[in-house]
Amino acid sequence: MIEKPLTPADVEFVTTLHGGDQISFVVLMQPRGKQDVLLRAIDDVALGEFDDAVREGEEPGGVRAELPAERALSHTLAALRATGAQAVGQVVEDHPLDLLRSMVDQTDADEVIVLTTPHFVEEFFHRDWASRARHKVGVPVLKLFSHAADDPAQDSAGS
């Protein structure tokens, strides 16, 4: 489960977690616009990213978040496939944890990776995706923090 396109460092990290084993990914993309703007702004302030906190209200929501999410997902799937991994995915409209559970059951997944930016408020109250997924999916859940995008084209893939 991701909320923005994977950076090259993210792709390298997740594709090498299991050494040389053949791996496949089912990527669920949750558009950022669906998340609570206030909580994101508080997280930005906690990280000292004041400019980002001010811009949180400009983040597209609802239908406007779907096209950027589709682009981010396409970018991520292409990057994963370029490493030789199998990768499919979809943008999550509603009930992401229910869909995640369904995907784990359908694919007989060994584990779930939640790759996200830090969300201090949600993490403190165990309301972040990884904490909630641990109670829902029945397989190990690995929580990873995404790397910052170094490439401006990478940034535009998610916006």
Side-chain angles (χ1 to χ4, degrees):
M1 180 170 270
I2 62 173
E3 62 187 8
K4 65 180 193 174
L6 299 187
T7 66
D10 294 331
V11 170
E12 180 180 357
F13 189 57
V14 299
T15 57
T16 60
L17 280 172
H18 298 289
D21 295 345
Q22 177 64 29
I23 53 175
S24 61
F25 295 91
V26 176
V27 181
L28 301 180
M29 174 79 191
Q30 175 69 43
R32 279 181 46 95
K34 298 258 183 175
Q35 299 167 6
D36 189 283
V37 174
L38 178 60
L39 291 178
R40 288 195 327 250
I42 292 170
D43 287 336
D44 290 337
V45 170
L47 290 168
E49 297 171 353
F50 303 111
D51 290 339
D52 290 344
V54 171
R55 287 191 298 270
E56 286 297 349
E58 300 168 7
E59 189 79 34
V63 176
R64 292 180 358 168
E66 291 173 16
L67 184 58
E70 289 287 345
R71 277 189 249 145
L73 178 62
S74 292
H75 172 83
T76 294
L77 294 176
L80 290 168
R81 290 175 187 144
T83 70
Q86 296 176 358
V88 297
Q90 70 183 74
V91 173
V92 179
E93 298 294 327
D94 296 306
H95 310 291
L97 293 176
D98 291 339
L99 180 58
L100 181 61
R101 173 60 193 241
S102 173
M103 286 292 122
V104 166
D105 291 344
Q106 287 176 24
T107 62
D108 199 26
D110 295 322
E111 71 183 350
V112 167
I113 298 172
V114 176
L115 197 133
T116 182
T117 55
H119 298 290
F120 295 115
V121 174
E122 288 116 332
E123 290 169 25
F124 181 77
F125 291 107
H126 302 284
R127 300 301 302 153
D128 59 299
W129 290 121
S131 295
R132 292 169 52 201
R134 284 186 183 106
H135 300 287
K136 187 99 172 165
V137 298
V139 297
V141 175
L142 179 60
K143 178 180 178 176
L144 302 174
F145 291 120
S146 58
H147 293 79
D150 297 326
D151 178 9
Q154 184 81 7
D155 289 331
S156 66
S159 52

